[in-house]
Amino acid sequence: MAERSGAPAARAVLQQCLQAGLQVQPAEELSEAQAVQIDRGMVIYICFFKGATDDILPKMVSTLLSLRLCESDSGKMVSVSELPGSLLIVPQATLGGKAKGRGMQYHNNIGKEDGLRLYGAFVSLCEEELKAASSSAEVTVKHGTYGNRQVLKLDTNGPYTHLMEF
Amino acid sequence: MAERSGAPAARAVLQQCLQAGLQVQPAEELSEAQAVQIDRGMVIYICFFKGATDDILPKMVSTLLSLRLCESDSGKMVSVSELPGSLLIVPQATLGGKAKGRGMQYHNNIGKEDGLRLYGAFVSLCEEELKAASSSAEVTVKHGTYGNRQVLKLDTNGPYTHLMEF
């Protein structure tokens, strides 16, 4: 994890969930809204900053999947892969904001093209790692669509909100 | 807002909501679980660090209530008091965690007694300021119980997760 004094390359907010759903496609004239959903597991809100590269992804993913951020049925803190739990990954550019006057500025956020690529690679790596770490058929990785509005519903037994920077 | 190089005195994660509910008292043998709920507005997850004092509260509260973090019906970014929206304040000690190996450590978190006092003062100030800023009868401040498990349900039209340090 990056020291607080250096500018981070990525910021993640993590919340434990019993169930979480995300609309990935809004309703249109001829089609209903489409949504993805996970049951027990972790929601990862993720934002990449300028200068972030693919190099940081393996460490990020292994850290997020192995840190003891979730509470098991017996009350013990375990990692999401030990739970075993699913992941809902939410691209969240607002996490990179800085207050300037009464408004928010996003000058440090990564450009759209690089952000899209890193986000896709991050999701793929989470899928690989979670699959490798857990043999449970119920465990899954779902994710939002980069650039879309993230319409989220969250149900927790205590969100245990964590912040991680990389 | 504190510069990133200095240790912050408080950390807040903010999410816009359409509706959010928090259990403030778990079910017991003779009583049902008690919950509070807000409709449209903002959820504030809050954590105080060692060294935090009451001095920081007025600036924190005025910043949180006046920053344009919420989306109005017309798609314009406005403050929660301009929306006008309610507040759900959630004490969230996990926000102060630092990864150490696979576990989380909370050495920088404020002690329980000071934390409880600051949290209470923070809630009171939010109530005063929101009341002063908005004449809408529907606008309200609800909050979790310091030290309890925060059983949260959140419904958003895009959580717009923000991080603020003070």
Side-chain angles (χ1 to χ4, degrees):
Chain A
M1 207 167 136
E3 289 300 317
R4 304 284 299 167
S5 51
R11 180 175 290 160
V13 166
L14 314 163
Q15 291 186 316
Q16 203 186 215
C17 69
L18 294 178
Q19 195 165 73
L22 193 68
Q23 179 187 296
V24 289
Q25 196 64 50
E28 288 175 15
E29 209 175 321
L30 295 173
S31 60
E32 289 187 9
Q34 288 173 40
V36 293
Q37 188 178 305
I38 63 166
D39 292 320
R40 192 154 178 196
M42 191 162 75
V43 180
I44 304 180
Y45 306 88
I46 181 86
C47 173
F48 292 100
F49 292 103
K50 269 179 193 154
T53 58
D54 293 81
D55 304 354
I56 63 167
L57 298 179
K59 177 133 186 257
M60 268 182 82
V61 171
S62 72
T63 302
L64 293 174
L65 297 196
S66 68
L67 271 178
R68 298 191 191 97
L69 302 171
C70 300
E71 194 187 23
S72 74
D73 288 330
S74 62
K76 207 179 141 192
M77 294 308 283
V78 298
S79 71
V80 67
S81 43
E82 287 167 340
L83 195 56
S86 296
L87 294 179
L88 179 65
I89 304 169
V90 182
Q92 192 81 142
T94 50
L95 264 184
K98 273 194 176 182
K100 163 103 184 189
R102 291 184 53 220
M104 296 299 291
Q105 290 188 334
Y106 299 94
H107 296 323
N108 290 329
N109 281 28
I110 201 166
K112 199 169 177 180
E113 211 168 298
D114 284 338
L116 179 58
R117 187 179 48 79
L118 279 172
Y119 177 68
F122 176 76
V123 168
S124 298
L125 204 53
C126 284
E127 284 168 343
E128 277 172 38
E129 294 271 318
L130 194 66
K131 208 172 163 186
S134 169
S135 57
S136 168
E138 288 166 26
V139 161
T140 178
V141 175
K142 304 283 185 183
H143 61 92
T145 306
Y146 193 86
N148 274 15
R149 172 186 289 261
Q150 310 299 321
V151 180
L152 176 88
K153 270 176 202 277
L154 179 69
D155 193 354
T156 79
N157 65 345
Y160 295 114
T161 312
H162 286 94
L163 169 71
M164 291 279 146
E165 291 180 341
F166 298 92
Chain B
M1 206 166 138
E3 289 300 315
R4 308 281 303 166
S5 52
R11 179 175 290 160
V13 165
L14 314 163
Q15 293 185 314
Q16 202 187 216
C17 69
L18 294 178
Q19 195 165 73
L22 194 69
Q23 179 187 296
V24 289
Q25 196 64 50
E28 287 174 17
E29 209 174 323
L30 295 172
S31 59
E32 289 187 10
Q34 289 174 39
V36 293
Q37 187 179 305
I38 63 165
D39 293 318
R40 193 155 179 195
M42 191 162 75
V43 181
I44 304 180
Y45 306 88
I46 181 86
C47 174
F48 292 101
F49 292 103
K50 269 179 193 153
T53 58
D54 292 79
D55 303 354
I56 63 167
L57 298 179
K59 177 134 186 255
M60 268 182 81
V61 171
S62 72
T63 301
L64 293 174
L65 297 196
S66 67
L67 271 179
R68 299 190 189 99
L69 301 172
C70 300
E71 194 187 23
S72 73
D73 288 330
S74 62
K76 206 179 143 192
M77 295 308 284
V78 298
S79 71
V80 67
S81 43
E82 286 166 341
L83 194 56
S86 296
L87 293 180
L88 179 65
I89 304 169
V90 182
Q92 191 82 143
T94 50
L95 263 184
K98 275 195 175 181
K100 162 103 186 189
R102 293 185 51 221
M104 297 299 290
Q105 290 187 334
Y106 299 94
H107 296 322
N108 291 329
N109 281 28
I110 200 164
K112 199 169 176 177
E113 211 168 297
D114 285 337
L116 178 58
R117 187 179 48 76
L118 279 172
Y119 177 68
F122 176 76
V123 168
S124 299
L125 204 52
C126 284
E127 285 168 343
E128 278 172 39
E129 294 272 318
L130 194 66
K131 207 171 162 186
S134 168
S135 57
S136 168
E138 288 166 27
V139 160
T140 177
V141 175
K142 304 283 184 182
H143 62 93
T145 306
Y146 193 85
N148 273 15
R149 171 185 290 261
Q150 309 299 322
V151 180
L152 176 86
K153 271 177 202 277
L154 180 68
D155 193 353
T156 79
N157 65 346
Y160 296 115
T161 313
H162 286 94
L163 169 72
M164 290 281 145
E165 291 180 341
F166 298 91

